[in-house]
């Protein structure tokens, strides 16, 4: 019986070795290695491309949704106040509105006031004479980003000022976030986020790792101190970069107030203090390590998108739990990679359970956070933030599949297979951290750009502007540059058609002719028309049509599709 059993084992071993050395098996193993290498190369290429190609100026956060007086408006009499409304809360202590006359002299001595919901700032005005007035405002959104812009309005019958539509909401309203920023900005953010997750995750795991020997334990502590050092360096650089974006437009006294009186400043102070305290005290007591890591992650959670929602403590809680789960997973996986030859297999079963819980928490909290801040999941396809989130979801699904394969390998006790899939899991993790470090800076919600639409039909050059092109009250202007041979148009109409509901008929914008500006050449003449009103009442897909009828009743139609968020 034993002899037959031995022969059976030999046959099985022979078959196993034959299959293992077969071309198909070798191809599959090589494919895994190739996939791992390809993913690493692609992640690096994507990182470089994103740091070079993604324009930093397109990622605003708080957005001006309404201005009174309206942008580039012409008023019959002096307004009583300037009133600016934003789509999200502002920092309560740092905001400013200034108004200048045509000579560049300030006309107000009072300080602006903020509304109880922190979404609106107001500045009372003295009685203003006829002329052009420039409004400039500087605020800080609840997520810590500075915003600065300028626009002009006119009082009286003077020709309207040259269009000075403020920089696009998705453009450089964020001082310091322009395309001229430091090179390698994205790579720097990736380094900061990775060091944050590693240092806190290392603290979480410090007393739960079964060390193979004392040498492995000492190596863990040495690496921990290196990670602490890198985190402190990246944190200081991160704060310096953010603080530099606040300098423009604020006095020294106001900048000093930024630290203790804003969430952003409190977050900076707390993070720096905890980082310094960690050097002499970390990795001595388990309870202190855990408390320290929780405080560091909480300090990060209050300075970001989560703090800018209508339910800040609700979204901050989601973000906080999300960061904890990420830190546990990232640090544990990194430990397995570094100590793969020094007893990592002893830690693997414990990490496998923690990793499963972490991924579940990441999926749940990430989903709840997304559902909270996005009014519709369709918006995921309309922003860079949403597209990157979809890429992150795809990588998380790959991690889940990899985790399932790892658990299967653990049951089979296949060390070679475990190491290969762990390497792949590590690379997937780096891809997720790269994406998270980028889209955590971007605006989750799509922004509306002031429209400047130019087209030529029948020899007539048309320019239409809609500002700020938000749901509600907007400024509309239409300019026609016509050849001298053509007489003044008999009628000029602007129609707005909403595509969400068929029962809503097209909306006619009541254009009024304004003083004609000089033509660009002696062979043409310029006709200008404008209107102000709530003729874009809600968000959705629209079509704008400008209909120009000449004296012979010939009609030229200009058409453009619009998307209002």
């Amino acid at each position: 019986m034993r002899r037959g059993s031995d022969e059976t084992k030999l046959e099985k071993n022979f078959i196993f070795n034959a299959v293992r050395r077969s071309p198909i098996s070798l191809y599959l193993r090589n494919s895994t290695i190739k996939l791992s290498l390809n993913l690493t190369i692609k992640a690096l290429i994507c990182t470089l491309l994103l740091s070079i190609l993604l324009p930093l100026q397109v990622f605003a956060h708080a957005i001006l949704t309404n201005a009174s007086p309206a942008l580039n408006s012409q008023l019959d009499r002096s307004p009583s106040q300037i009133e600016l409304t934003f789509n999200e809360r502002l920092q309560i202590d740092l905001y400013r509105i200034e108004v200048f006359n045509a000579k560049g002299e300030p006309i107000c001595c009072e300080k602006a006031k903020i509304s109880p919901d922190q979404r609106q700032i107001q500045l009372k005005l003295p009685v203003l004479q006829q002329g052009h007035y420039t409004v400039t405002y500087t605020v800080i959104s609840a997520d810590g980003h500075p915003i600065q812009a300028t626009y002009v309005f006119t009082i009286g019958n003077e020709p309207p000022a040259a269009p000075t539509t403020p920089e696009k909401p998705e453009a450089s309203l964020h001082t310091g976030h322009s395309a001229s920023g430091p090179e390698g900005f994205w790579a720097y953010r990736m380094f900061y986020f990775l060091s944050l997750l590693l240092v806190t995750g290392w603290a979480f795991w410090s007393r739960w790792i079964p060390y193979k020997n004392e040498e492995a334990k000492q190596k863990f502590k040495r690496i921990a101190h290196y990670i602490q050092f890198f985190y402190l360096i990246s944190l200081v650089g991160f704060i310096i970069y953010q603080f530099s974006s606040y300098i423009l437009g604020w006095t020294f006294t106001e900048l000093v107030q930024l630290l203790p009186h804003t969430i952003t400043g409190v977050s900076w102070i707390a993070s720096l203090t905890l980082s310094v305290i960690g050097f002499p005290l970390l990795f001595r007591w388990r309870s202190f390590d855990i408390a320290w890591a929780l405080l560091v992650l909480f300090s990060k959670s209050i300075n970001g998108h989560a703090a800018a929602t209508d339910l800040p403590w609700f979204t901050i809680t989601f973000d906080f739990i999300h960061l904890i789960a990420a830190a546990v997973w990232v640090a544990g996986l990194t430990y397995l990679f570094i100590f793969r030859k020094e007893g990592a297999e002893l830690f693997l079963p414990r990490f496998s359970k923690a990793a499963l819980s972490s991924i579940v928490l990441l999926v749940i909290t990430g989903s709840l956070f997304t559902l909270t801040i996005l009014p519709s999941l369709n918006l995921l396809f309309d922003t860079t933030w949403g597209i990157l989130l979809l890429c992150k979801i795809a990588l998380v699904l790959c991690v889940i599949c990899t985790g399932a394969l790892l658990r299967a390998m653990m049951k089979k006790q296949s060390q070679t297979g475990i190491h290969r899939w762990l390497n792949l899991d590590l690379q997937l993790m780096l891809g997720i951290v790269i994406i998270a470090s980028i889209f955590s800076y971007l605006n989750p919600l799509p922004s509306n750009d002031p429209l400047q639409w130019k087209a030529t039909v029948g020899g007539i050059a048309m320019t239409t502007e809609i500002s700020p092109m938000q749901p509600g009250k907007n400024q509309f202007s239409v300019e026609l540059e016509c050849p001298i041979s053509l007489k003044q148009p008999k009628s000029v109409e602007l129609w707005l058609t909403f595509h969400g509901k068929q029962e809503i008929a097209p909306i006619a914008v009541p254009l009024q002719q304004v003083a004609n500006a000089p033509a660009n050449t002696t062979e043409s003449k310029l006709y200008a028309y404008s209107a102000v009103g709530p003729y874009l009442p809600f968000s959705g897909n629209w079509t704008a049509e400008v209909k120009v009828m000449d004296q012979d009743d010939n009609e030229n139609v200009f058409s453009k599709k619009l998307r209002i968020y």
Side-chain angles (χ1 to χ4, degrees):
M1 241 354 239
R2 179 177 293 178
R3 184 178 180 183
S5 177
D6 292 340
E7 290 176 353
T8 302
K9 287 183 180 179
L10 289 172
E11 289 176 0
K12 287 182 178 178
N13 288 336
F14 176 78
I15 294 172
F16 174 78
N17 289 329
V19 171
R20 186 171 178 270
R21 296 172 182 174
S22 66
I24 295 177
S25 178
L26 290 172
Y27 173 77
L28 290 174
R29 281 186 287 162
N30 289 334
S31 296
T32 302
I33 297 172
K34 288 178 180 178
L35 176 63
S36 180
L37 290 173
N38 286 339
L39 189 60
T40 304
I41 294 170
K42 289 177 181 177
L44 291 173
I45 292 173
C46 288
T47 302
L48 293 173
L49 288 176
L50 287 168
S51 64
I52 295 171
L53 298 179
L54 275 181
L56 296 182
Q57 73 270 26
V58 302
F59 309 130
H61 295 259
I63 298 167
L64 180 69
T65 58
N66 189 55
S68 177
L71 315 183
N72 307 317
S73 58
Q74 186 162 11
L75 309 178
D76 295 330
R77 58 181 182 273
S78 173
S80 61
Q81 64 180 9
I82 302 293
E83 186 177 272
L84 305 176
T85 305
F86 296 83
N87 70 325
E88 65 180 43
R89 293 180 301 107
L90 306 175
Q91 296 278 8
I92 197 167
D93 289 302
L94 289 177
Y95 55 89
R96 176 193 294 155
I97 303 177
E98 294 180 287
V99 182
F100 302 90
N101 60 21
K103 296 180 181 179
E105 301 168 338
I107 63 170
C108 295
C109 298
E110 295 189 23
K111 188 181 186 304
K113 296 182 179 180
I114 192 168
S115 62
D117 64 358
Q118 298 174 226
R119 291 175 178 267
Q120 188 179 82
I121 52 176
Q122 300 172 340
L123 176 67
K124 290 185 178 180
L125 296 175
V127 177
L128 304 180
Q129 304 299 318
Q130 290 190 6
H132 304 308
Y133 293 88
T134 301
V135 179
T136 182
Y137 60 90
T138 308
V139 297
I140 298 177
S141 63
D143 60 6
H145 290 83
I147 304 155
Q148 187 177 47
T150 299
Y151 71 93
V152 174
F153 68 90
T154 303
I155 299 176
N157 296 320
E158 296 190 15
T164 55
T165 303
E167 298 166 4
K168 296 181 180 181
E170 283 191 340
S172 45
L173 290 184
H174 281 246
T175 306
H177 291 184
S178 65
S180 60
E183 295 181 2
F185 171 70
W186 295 114
Y188 183 82
R189 281 187 62 84
M190 296 167 200
F191 178 73
Y192 166 71
F193 266 79
L194 183 60
S195 63
L196 170 70
L197 296 177
L198 281 177
V199 74
T200 52
W202 222 252
F204 282 133
W205 282 116
S206 62
R207 301 298 175 182
W208 299 98
I209 294 176
Y211 301 106
K212 186 176 182 179
N213 49 45
E214 184 62 25
E215 184 180 350
K217 185 176 182 180
Q218 294 305 317
K219 181 179 178 180
F220 177 89
K221 289 186 177 181
R222 285 197 306 272
I223 294 174
H225 288 303
Y226 289 137
I227 293 174
Q228 281 183 269
F229 177 75
F230 289 135
Y231 170 65
L232 177 60
I233 295 299
S234 66
L235 175 63
V236 170
F238 185 73
I239 291 175
I240 290 174
Y241 176 82
Q242 276 199 305
F243 191 75
S244 66
S245 66
Y246 292 89
I247 294 176
L248 185 62
W250 300 104
T251 64
F252 177 77
T253 303
E254 289 170 328
L255 288 173
V256 171
Q257 292 177 352
L258 168 70
L259 296 177
H261 294 98
T262 64
I263 292 178
T264 301
V266 171
S267 172
W268 291 348
I269 293 172
S271 297
L272 275 174
T273 303
L274 289 167
S275 179
V276 173
I277 289 175
F279 279 95
L281 299 180
L282 268 181
F283 310 112
R284 294 176 181 271
W285 307 279
R286 177 185 296 176
S287 57
F288 177 84
D289 292 350
I290 294 174
W292 182 89
L294 291 174
L295 288 173
V296 170
L297 293 177
F298 183 75
S299 299
K300 175 64 184 74
S301 297
I302 63 175
N303 184 20
H305 291 311
T309 64
D310 292 329
L311 301 169
W313 294 109
F314 190 63
T315 47
I316 285 173
T317 300
F318 287 155
D319 192 48
F320 179 49
I321 297 173
H322 196 82
L323 286 174
I324 293 173
V328 170
W329 177 55
V330 168
L333 197 56
T334 304
Y335 174 86
L336 287 174
F337 177 76
I338 295 175
F339 288 82
R340 60 190 180 277
K341 296 180 181 179
E342 297 166 296
E345 65 277 0
L346 300 175
F347 174 63
L348 187 57
R350 186 170 295 177
F351 170 76
S352 179
K353 295 178 181 179
L356 179 60
S357 301
S358 296
I359 294 298
V360 171
L361 283 175
L362 286 169
V363 171
I364 293 174
T365 54
S367 300
L368 291 174
F369 184 82
T370 301
L371 293 172
T372 301
I373 63 176
L374 287 185
S376 171
L377 291 180
N378 292 332
L379 297 179
L380 288 174
F381 301 95
D382 295 327
T383 61
T384 306
W385 185 91
I387 293 171
L388 287 176
L389 178 59
L390 293 174
C391 293
K392 181 184 174 184
I393 291 172
L395 290 181
V396 170
L397 291 175
C398 292
V399 167
I400 292 172
C401 295
T402 304
L405 288 169
L406 276 170
R407 295 176 75 87
M409 294 290 181
M410 288 171 59
K411 290 180 180 180
K412 294 181 179 179
Q413 297 183 349
S414 173
Q415 295 300 322
T416 303
I418 288 174
H419 289 153
R420 287 174 180 168
W421 289 107
L422 273 176
N423 288 339
L424 179 58
D425 205 17
L426 181 73
Q427 291 160 36
L428 291 171
M429 177 269 287
L430 290 175
I432 291 173
V433 171
I434 287 172
I435 291 175
S437 64
I438 294 172
F439 87 83
S440 60
Y441 180 76
L442 312 187
N443 190 0
L445 298 174
S447 302
N448 295 307
D449 292 342
L451 175 69
Q452 189 173 47
W453 164 34
K454 296 183 179 182
T456 302
V457 175
I460 300 174
M462 183 277 306
T463 300
T464 295
E465 294 184 356
I466 304 176
S467 179
M469 209 172 84
Q470 307 278 355
K473 188 176 180 180
N474 285 270
Q475 170 92 12
F476 302 85
S477 66
V478 176
E479 291 183 351
L480 302 175
E481 188 173 350
C482 304
I484 294 294
S485 58
L486 293 178
K487 296 180 180 180
Q488 180 173 345
K490 185 176 182 180
S491 66
V492 178
E493 300 175 350
L494 173 59
W495 293 84
L496 301 171
T497 304
F498 182 62
H499 297 291
K501 296 181 180 179
Q502 294 182 353
E503 60 269 25
I504 298 179
I507 299 173
V509 179
L511 295 175
Q512 299 292 327
Q513 187 172 3
V514 297
N516 295 332
N520 293 332
T521 68
T522 57
E523 299 179 355
S524 62
K525 191 171 183 179
L526 191 67
Y527 302 96
Y529 307 81
S530 68
V532 178
Y535 307 115
L536 285 169
F538 28 71
S539 59
N541 293 310
W542 293 79
T543 294
E545 285 187 327
V546 176
K547 299 180 179 180
V548 182
M549 184 173 293
D550 63 21
Q551 297 294 333
D552 298 325
D553 291 336
N554 298 313
E555 187 176 61
N556 293 312
V557 179
F558 304 81
S559 180
K560 184 175 182 63
K561 293 183 178 180
L562 310 175
R563 177 70 186 271
I564 309 293
Y565 297 105

